[in-house]
């Protein structure tokens, strides 16, 4: 279903379903321009944790992620050590995947080596030009040349869990691209 009318009578992208948190996320966050090194580092980290899972799982765990990852402040996360990794691995409130935890710490260390504003500028430099909204879910691709290029550049810099599909999801969620399906109330 490309468009779904919620219990409030509002037409939304069909992926939203009936979950109130998903509706809130769709209405207030998804597809809105997100800027800032810390904010984009958080989104990059959470998208990496989402790989292989549903986004609603991440949304439900996001408050705890923010708590245990110090608000995704890159300088703080970059200083995490082996004891922090074990602390995180023991926390049932997050996704306990060692590779993803280590990648988040590694990525934070790389981000802290960048000049202020560099992560924001770098990521937004891959935003595609504006285009018409997709008419249906069938028109939405999992990757694009822009997400391929972003992924390649981030990997070249040493970041992990930044594959092209993950980067396209990040581009959608941060407003770098508008993938709200035609007919969705969000403009």
């Amino acid at each position: 279903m490309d468009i779904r009318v919620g219990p409030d009578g509002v037409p939304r992208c069909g992926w939203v379903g009936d979950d109130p948190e998903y509706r809130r996320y769709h209405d207030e966050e998804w597809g809105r321009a997100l800027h800032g090194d810390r904010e984009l580092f958080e989104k990059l980290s959470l998208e990496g944790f989402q790989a292989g899972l549903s986004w609603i799982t991440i949304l439900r765990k996001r408050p705890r992620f923010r708590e245990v990852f110090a608000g995704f402040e890159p300088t703080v996360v970059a200083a995490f050590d082996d004891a922090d990794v074990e602390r995180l691995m023991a926390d049932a409130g997050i996704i306990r995947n060692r590779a993803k935890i280590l990648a988040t710490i590694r990525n934070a260390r790389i981000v802290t080596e960048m000049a202020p504003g560099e992560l924001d500028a770098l990521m937004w430099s891959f935003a595609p030009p504006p285009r018409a909204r997709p008419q249906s879910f069938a028109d939405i691709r999992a990757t694009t040349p822009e997400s391929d290029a972003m992924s390649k550049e981030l990997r070249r810099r040493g970041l992990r869990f930044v594959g092209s599909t993950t980067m396209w999801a990040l581009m959608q969620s941060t407003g770098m691209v508008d993938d709200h399906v035609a007919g969705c109330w969000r403009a």
Side-chain angles (χ1 to χ4, degrees):
M1 181 182 311
D2 295 326
I3 293 292
R4 183 178 188 135
V5 177
D8 54 4
V10 176
R12 293 178 178 87
C13 297
W15 58 262
V16 175
D18 293 326
D19 188 283
E21 178 59 14
Y22 241 179
R23 280 196 307 271
R24 187 211 58 76
Y25 176 71
H26 172 273
D27 292 355
E28 298 173 15
E29 294 183 56
W30 195 78
R32 295 204 181 191
L34 180 69
H35 285 280
D37 291 343
R38 191 212 59 78
E39 292 83 354
L40 289 168
F41 173 68
E42 175 181 342
K43 185 63 80 168
L44 181 77
S45 300
L46 292 175
E47 292 286 357
F49 274 102
Q50 185 271 332
L53 303 170
S54 69
W55 185 247
I56 193 64
T57 299
I58 300 303
L59 279 180
R60 290 180 180 141
K61 293 179 177 282
R62 184 167 63 173
R64 185 65 182 157
F65 268 112
R66 286 175 169 165
E67 185 177 340
V68 300
F69 278 99
F72 289 98
E73 185 57 49
T75 55
V76 177
V77 177
F80 281 10
D81 59 17
D82 291 342
D84 290 302
V85 172
E86 294 311 314
R87 170 183 59 85
L88 294 166
M89 286 297 296
D91 194 317
I94 66 168
I95 307 301
R96 295 179 289 179
N97 179 302
R98 186 175 299 276
K100 292 177 180 183
I101 290 169
L102 292 171
T104 301
I105 296 167
R106 175 190 172 102
N107 291 351
R109 291 175 181 158
I110 293 167
V111 168
T112 61
E113 294 170 2
M114 296 178 178
E118 185 177 351
L119 180 65
D120 185 303
L122 172 67
M123 295 182 85
W124 275 88
S125 73
F126 294 99
R131 58 179 172 70
R133 283 184 164 189
Q135 292 299 305
S136 71
F137 284 136
D139 297 331
I140 299 174
R141 298 173 51 192
T143 64
T144 65
E146 294 87 359
S147 67
D148 293 344
M150 178 188 278
S151 173
K152 183 177 180 181
E153 176 58 21
L154 293 175
R155 282 184 285 135
R156 186 191 70 74
R157 291 173 179 244
L159 282 86
R160 299 288 182 257
F161 283 92
V162 292
S164 185
T165 300
T166 301
M167 292 304 91
W168 186 247
L170 180 142
M171 294 171 96
Q172 293 169 312
S173 69
T174 60
M176 293 180 195
V177 64
D178 181 1
D179 263 353
H180 287 279
V181 176
C184 175
W185 78 272
R186 280 286 311 278

